[in-house]
Amino acid sequence: MGVTVDEFLKLLDELPDVRMSHGGEWVGLKVHDKGFGYLWEATETVGLKATIEEQIALVSERPEVFEVQFTAGRFGWVVVHLDRIDAEELFELMAEAWCLTAPKQLVDDFEATHPIGKKVQSG
């Protein structure tokens, strides 16, 4: 179990129109100029956008993996320790963060063609 920074960056390639911006000690992750995540290579952690309900659930169920980063409006950002999560679960969280941020048509196109979207539609 555990995901390296390089593996995380490869997972990002599965999400359309992701842009990275370097901000000193962190890398911002954006879709259409709106942020959905952060990467801190030095600590091997990622911050991802989530709903507040999801943030609370993740942190309370597995505090060794997730931490509260901050809340902003209706969103609760979660810090994920890469060495304590598997790639499939991490990608699901990344895709959720991306879907909360990307334009609706881009999300619809992604969900129609990507296996994770098909899983959500049939489940």
Side-chain angles (χ1 to χ4, degrees):
M1 176 137 93
V3 176
T4 66
V5 169
D6 287 339
E7 290 167 334
F8 170 77
L9 294 171
K10 286 179 186 168
L11 289 173
L12 277 178
D13 291 340
E14 292 191 48
L15 298 172
D17 295 349
V18 172
R19 302 286 180 262
M20 292 188 279
S21 60
H22 296 272
E25 296 183 16
W26 50 270
V27 177
L29 309 173
K30 296 181 178 186
V31 57
H32 286 242
D33 294 323
K34 294 182 179 179
F36 71 92
Y38 299 92
L39 166 66
W40 293 275
E41 290 187 59
T43 59
E44 297 183 1
T45 56
V46 175
L48 294 172
K49 186 185 229 181
T51 64
I52 291 174
E53 295 80 13
E54 180 82 0
Q55 176 199 51
I56 292 167
L58 290 169
V59 173
S60 64
E61 290 170 15
R62 294 178 30 224
E64 71 282 2
V65 179
F66 304 105
E67 298 174 33
V68 171
Q69 185 178 12
F70 62 89
T71 57
R74 60 190 179 104
F75 299 109
W77 291 69
V78 177
V79 174
V80 181
H81 292 268
L82 293 177
D83 64 344
R84 300 176 193 166
I85 192 168
D86 67 45
E88 184 177 334
E89 182 181 14
L90 177 60
F91 184 74
E92 286 181 18
L93 294 171
M94 292 165 59
E96 286 176 25
W98 181 91
C99 287
L100 289 171
T101 310
K104 183 179 180 343
Q105 186 59 55
L106 194 59
V107 172
D108 290 346
D109 293 346
F110 172 76
E111 289 182 340
T113 60
H114 196 279
I116 195 170
K118 292 176 183 174
K119 184 171 126 182
V120 170
Q121 291 171 359
S122 66

